[in-house]
Amino acid sequence: MSNTSFDPLKESIEKFTRIAGNAVKFYPILSQSTIQLLNYSENATFLVNTTTGEKYILRVGRPLYHSKTEIESELEWLKLINKHSSIKVSLPIVGENGEYVQEVEDENISHFCALFTFLEGDAPNEENEHDLISQFEVLGDITAQLHEYSILNRHQLQQMKRIEWDYTSILGTKPKWGRWQDGLAMTDDRLELFEKVSEKIKQRLALFGKSQSRYGLIHSDLRLANLLVDGQQIKIIDFDDCGFGWYLYDLATSLSFIEHKPYIPTLINAWLKGYRKVRSLSQEEELEIPTFILMRRLQLIAWVGSRHNETTRELGSAFTEETDELAKKYLEKMEI
């Protein structure tokens, strides 16, 4: 009898690596290259090294997550950002067939792949509060630039096919990342507490509204892992989840997985300082920041409970349990 047990994470990584090996064939510049897995989350991201020393990033998409048209819209926005702003982003590279999105079939399932330019830099260190403060001021500035571009080019960007990150798709009846109720370590008391939070968020967002100054095309996943610090510069990567949502949701996503840290109020103040260098933010909007943070936190509980990767394994049940105090404080603060 074999003692080997099935490991879904290992199985998935092997499959995505196989697909990546087939995807590089679409690019003559990668005819002699090696691939190395960098990250496996919603997608699998690989570093591609050529024999001549060039580096590229290859993304193998999770099947049935985004359509080819949706990915093409993401890549078009990247090109527009690069053309019309000073924000540093990783740019898509066209394949030999003239397409930016390549389709690779594996076990009768299509996977969409894209190749990007490589950017130097390292993710911010969540343990280094001093550096995080200055980095969040820069991030606030960059985020405001993205939002300004989104507002000024609203009509053009609205033609893009991207997900709507509203209450329904985050915490409601059609959650893109799964139901928070199915998260790890759920008890009757915790379900009751989080349900009160979810309902409060729903009420407040309905009052907050979706005016053009508050809601538009956003990155929607500006967590630390999607930022690259290179000296005094911050570069933005992984626009895979960009979509239409509240601009303040971008702030909440930058605090992903660290919402419970004691330095969060300081980071928020630094972000606001940077943001207001570019565009205004009313006191009413600032007061609603906790709503977006808790919405994101519940969304991440759903994500941790429904995914199998190194991040979710590391976070485990503790991530849900550490949310209790955040939830109680939110309800106390937001009593209306």
Side-chain angles (χ1 to χ4, degrees):
M1 179 181 292
S2 173
N3 292 322
T4 303
S5 59
F6 174 70
D7 185 340
L9 176 57
K10 181 181 178 181
E11 184 82 6
S12 294
I13 290 175
E14 289 177 351
K15 179 183 71 173
F16 278 98
T17 302
R18 182 172 65 245
I19 294 166
N22 288 322
V24 297
K25 298 174 184 177
F26 287 94
Y27 305 93
I29 57 175
L30 306 182
S31 60
Q32 296 184 31
S33 61
T34 59
I35 59 174
Q36 173 191 343
L37 181 68
L38 289 180
N39 180 57
Y40 171 62
S41 181
E42 291 302 299
N43 310 304
T45 306
F46 295 85
L47 173 65
V48 184
N49 286 290
T50 68
T51 55
T52 53
E54 288 94 0
K55 295 180 180 179
Y56 300 92
I57 296 296
L58 177 67
R59 187 180 74 195
V60 179
R62 177 185 176 193
L64 306 178
Y65 189 62
H66 291 312
S67 69
K68 183 179 180 182
T69 302
E70 289 172 332
I71 298 170
E72 288 171 338
S73 291
E74 169 206 348
L75 305 186
E76 181 61 27
W77 193 31
L78 279 172
K79 291 187 287 182
L80 289 171
I81 291 169
N82 179 68
K83 182 178 179 180
H84 298 291
S85 79
S86 60
I87 299 170
K88 298 298 181 183
V89 296
S90 185
L91 291 171
I93 298 172
V94 70
E96 188 176 26
N97 58 1
E99 299 278 348
Y100 282 101
V101 181
Q102 310 301 337
E103 185 172 354
V104 177
E105 191 170 289
D106 186 82
E107 298 178 346
N108 297 317
I109 299 176
S110 290
H111 294 75
F112 296 118
C113 308
L115 187 69
F116 298 87
T117 55
F118 176 83
L119 295 179
E120 296 287 351
D122 298 294
N125 180 0
E126 68 177 69
E127 303 301 329
N128 190 330
E129 180 179 348
H130 178 269
D131 285 353
L132 276 179
I133 293 170
S134 58
Q135 289 161 359
F136 262 69
E137 183 175 340
V138 175
L139 178 60
D141 186 315
I142 293 172
T143 308
Q145 291 181 53
L146 279 176
H147 295 170
E148 278 289 281
Y149 182 82
S150 183
I151 292 168
L152 293 174
N153 298 276
R154 183 180 183 85
H155 179 72
Q156 177 184 5
L157 298 179
Q158 278 185 321
Q159 311 308 311
M160 295 185 174
K161 186 172 177 58
R162 295 300 303 176
I163 188 173
E164 197 87 17
W165 289 112
D166 56 10
Y167 178 84
T168 300
S169 65
I170 296 177
L171 302 183
T173 55
K174 297 179 180 179
K176 181 74 169 176
W177 287 1
R179 291 167 14 107
W180 62 261
Q181 294 91 336
D182 299 326
L184 303 178
M186 284 297 171
T187 64
D188 289 343
D189 287 345
R190 189 166 283 129
L191 283 167
E192 182 180 356
L193 172 63
F194 291 174
E195 187 61 50
K196 289 179 181 177
V197 171
S198 181
E199 187 58 33
K200 178 67 69 176
I201 290 170
K202 183 178 181 180
Q203 293 170 3
R204 295 194 69 90
L205 289 179
L207 293 172
F208 190 72
K210 295 181 178 180
S211 68
Q212 293 187 14
S213 65
R214 296 181 175 183
Y215 194 96
L217 187 59
I218 59 174
H219 183 285
S220 83
D221 195 19
L222 288 170
R223 59 195 177 103
L224 300 186
N226 290 334
L227 309 177
L228 293 176
V229 179
D230 186 9
Q232 301 302 310
Q233 190 176 53
I234 292 181
K235 306 166 186 178
I236 309 296
I237 61 172
D238 195 2
F239 282 69
D240 177 58
D241 279 315
C242 69
F244 299 96
W246 287 279
Y247 293 122
L248 281 177
Y249 182 64
D250 266 344
L251 167 58
T253 66
S254 70
L255 303 172
S256 295
F257 306 118
I258 59 172
E259 300 94 341
H260 56 285
K261 298 280 189 177
Y263 55 60
I264 291 303
T266 306
L267 294 189
I268 292 173
N269 287 335
W271 187 93
L272 289 170
K273 181 180 179 181
Y275 194 88
R276 285 182 167 131
K277 292 177 182 178
V278 178
R279 71 182 299 254
S280 62
L281 197 71
S282 68
Q283 284 300 115
E284 179 190 1
E285 290 171 293
E286 184 176 339
L287 289 172
E288 212 57 60
I289 288 172
T291 293
F292 293 98
I293 293 175
L294 264 293
M295 179 167 67
R296 176 65 169 186
R297 182 78 178 200
L298 290 185
Q299 182 189 34
L300 291 175
I301 286 175
W303 184 78
V304 171
S306 61
R307 304 300 197 265
H308 298 286
N309 56 57
E310 290 183 1
T311 301
T312 59
R313 286 182 174 182
E314 181 181 340
L315 291 168
S317 298
F319 186 74
T320 302
E321 294 161 356
E322 290 172 333
T323 307
D324 289 357
E325 195 62 29
L326 291 173
K328 292 172 184 176
K329 288 181 179 179
Y330 174 73
L331 291 174
E332 290 173 3
K333 184 171 185 173
M334 293 301 183
E335 273 303 325
I336 57 172

